[in-house]
């Protein structure tokens, strides 16, 4: 399983496929120029290839850019409609997407912060 920085991390999905020859620096540049986000905040950025069976993930862990690549062997990822821009996923939706499941059917539980025991 992919190690993410924290439970409350912001997760952005680029909705338009990108050139998968791009590495850390190329994806960081796309994050700034196309998504209009700062790749060095600790947020997670998910990119798709033209082939729907591949994704790349980029995030800053505080000491360097981390990039992960995943290719599904027998299925394709469920991607949002291709359009310009970016969308966000919650942690549960991201985990479903990464596992190759339909993230649109996942709803995170809303919980309140517990009251301190007295």
């Amino acid at each position: 399983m992919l190690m993410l920085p924290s439970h409350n991390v912001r997760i952005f999905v680029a909705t338009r496929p990108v050139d998968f020859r791009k590495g850390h620096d190329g994806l960081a540049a796309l994050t700034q120029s196309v998504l209009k986000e700062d790749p060095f905040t600790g947020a997670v950025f998910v990119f798709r290839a033209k082939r729907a069976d591949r994704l790349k993930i980029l995030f800053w862990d505080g000491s360097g850019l981390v990039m992960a690549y995943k290719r599904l062997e027998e299925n394709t990822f469920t991607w949002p409609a291709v359009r310009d821009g970016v969308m966000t996923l919650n942690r549960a939706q991201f985990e479903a997407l990464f596992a190759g499941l339909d993230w649109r059917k996942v709803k995170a539980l809303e919980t309140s912060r517990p009251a301190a025991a007295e």
Side-chain angles (χ1 to χ4, degrees), residues 111-118:
T111 57
S112 301
R113 185 179 175 132
E118 297 191 26

Side-chain angles (χ1 to χ4, degrees), residues 4-32:
L4 292 180
S6 76
H7 186 68
N8 294 326
V9 68
R10 294 176 30 207
I11 302 167
F12 297 95
V13 177
T15 56
R16 184 167 294 281
V18 301
D19 179 352
F20 254 39
R21 294 174 292 184
K22 292 189 182 303
H24 297 75
D25 295 331
L27 292 177
L30 279 177
T31 299
Q32 292 173 316

Side-chain angles (χ1 to χ4, degrees), residues 55-71:
L55 66 72
K56 281 188 178 180
I57 299 165
L58 183 75
F59 67 90
W60 175 258
D61 74 351
S63 63
L65 282 171
V66 177
M67 185 175 69
Y69 173 88
K70 183 169 184 177
R71 180 185 72 212

